[in-house]
Amino acid sequence: MYQGFYNLTSGMLTQSRNLNVISNNMANVQTAGYKRDKMVSTTFQEEMLYRTGKRYKEDAQPLATTSKIRAADRTYVNYEQGGFDMTDGILDFAMADRGFFCIDTPAGVRYTRNGSFHVDNEGYLALNGVGRVQGTDGQPIRIDNENFTVDSVGNISVAEVSGGGEEGETTTEVRQLGRLRVVDFEDYEQLHKEDYGVFSTGQEPQNVEQPAVMWKMLEKSNVDMMEEMVSMMSSQRALQSAAQVLKMYDQIMSKSATDVGRL
């Protein structure tokens, strides 16, 4: 009887945590570059079941093992690349291959696939709520002219035209504003997911020399809304079922302590 309380209560707690993960995925379905989380559970405290005689217990036969408690093991991140959305926004960037943009934050450099940038009050390219976008020189990129272009490796440049006086001669000079720093890692399992879709790690980042940067586009979240809805309904049903059976257990225990005890 008491083992049922362990099974049901631990199952309810696990399903509640799983619903939190699913809800977070669904809330970020429109977040650029978001990577889906998946929680996996495990069991512990395994015990062996034996069959013995009614009177003689010395010749026990092993039957199987059972686990009393179910618990959350860990949350895995699915790094599969999402689709692409053409936005025509001049501050939107995406990557068609592996790699992460580098963001300077007060806590150090963080890494993200979210290329939905903006220009802050001081004119630097930044990720909202996180920090400034880092260039290949390790410094933030300053955008002092919005008539820029971006090539496939992340070079941000401005074509400045001078001259055009009485003789009508003009000179075009290309000025480099910076180049987006794109890095990659050997082991994605060592990446730690933080808020705002950024990652931190103790690994040494490897610079990607020829990144596949796409301008005026964003990488979509890799969350499948239909799959998340199915997972949410399944988890809710499991939680409700465990709660109902736990209520029945409580009623049975109450009757055994009151009605049966008086007999």
Side-chain angles (χ1 to χ4, degrees), residues 161-178:
V161 179
S162 59
E166 296 180 357
E167 298 180 358
E169 295 182 358
T170 60
T171 303
T172 302
E173 180 182 355
V174 177
R175 180 166 60 91
Q176 191 86 0
L177 299 181

Side-chain angles (χ1 to χ4, degrees), residues 12 18 21 30 43 53 56 77 79-80 89 113 128 134 141 147 172 177 180 191-192 196 217 229 239 252 263:
M12 290 175 61
N18 190 38
V21 173
Q30 296 296 333
T43 57
Y56 304 103
V77 180
Y79 292 98
E80 181 180 350
R113 295 279 297 188
N128 189 33
Q134 194 178 82
I141 300 174
N147 296 319
T172 302
L177 299 181
L180 295 170
L191 295 178
H192 174 67
Y196 302 101
M217 298 185 71
M229 287 290 292
L239 178 60
I252 293 173
L263 297 177

Side-chain angles (χ1 to χ4, degrees), residues 61-257:
Q61 298 296 321
L63 296 178
T65 58
T66 180
S67 299
K68 285 188 176 182
I69 298 177
R70 186 181 182 188
D73 184 14
R74 59 169 297 184
T75 300
Y76 290 92
V77 180
N78 181 358
Y79 292 98
E80 181 180 350
Q81 184 172 286
F84 297 101
D85 186 16
M86 185 175 293
T87 65
D88 290 329
I90 62 172
L91 300 177
D92 291 339
F93 303 86
M95 280 181 287
D97 204 348
R98 290 167 59 98
F100 297 85
F101 298 112
C102 300
I103 311 296
D104 280 327
T105 74
V109 181
R110 295 296 183 264
Y111 311 95
T112 184
R113 295 279 297 188
N114 184 357
S116 180
F117 302 142
H118 74 283
V119 176
D120 64 17
N121 296 331
E122 298 181 13
Y124 289 97
L125 195 63
L127 180 62
N128 189 33
V130 182
R132 293 173 175 172
V133 181
Q134 194 178 82
T136 53
D137 58 357
Q139 300 299 317
I141 300 174
R142 185 179 179 85
I143 306 296
D144 56 12
N145 188 331
E146 292 188 351
N147 296 319
F148 60 82
T149 59
V150 182
D151 62 18
S152 60
V153 295
N155 288 306
I156 305 174
S157 56
V158 175
E160 297 178 336
V161 179
S162 59
E166 296 180 357
E167 298 180 358
E169 295 182 358
T170 60
T171 303
T172 302
E173 180 182 355
V174 177
R175 180 166 60 91
Q176 191 86 0
L177 299 181
R179 179 177 176 179
L180 295 170
R181 184 188 179 199
V182 179
V183 300
D184 201 10
F185 302 94
E186 291 185 358
D187 186 9
Y188 281 12
E189 290 296 320
Q190 296 185 38
L191 295 178
H192 174 67
K193 193 173 187 180
E194 300 182 0
D195 295 334
Y196 302 101
V198 301
F199 298 86
S200 62
T201 182
Q203 299 179 85
E204 187 68 26
Q206 301 173 351
N207 291 322
V208 179
E209 299 300 332
Q210 295 293 324
V213 176
M214 297 185 295
W215 185 36
K216 298 183 179 180
M217 298 185 71
L218 288 175
E219 181 184 357
K220 297 179 182 179
S221 165
N222 65 357
V223 174
D224 186 333
M225 191 55 132
M226 186 63 69
E227 182 179 347
E228 296 301 318
M229 287 290 292
V230 172
S231 298
M232 182 184 68
M233 289 188 290
S234 176
S235 189
Q236 283 181 332
R237 293 292 177 84
L239 178 60
Q240 292 170 354
S241 299
Q244 289 296 326
V245 177
L246 190 62
K247 184 178 180 181
M248 294 172 57
Y249 266 58
D250 183 62
Q251 292 173 348
I252 293 173
M253 293 296 292
S254 178
K255 285 185 174 293
S256 65

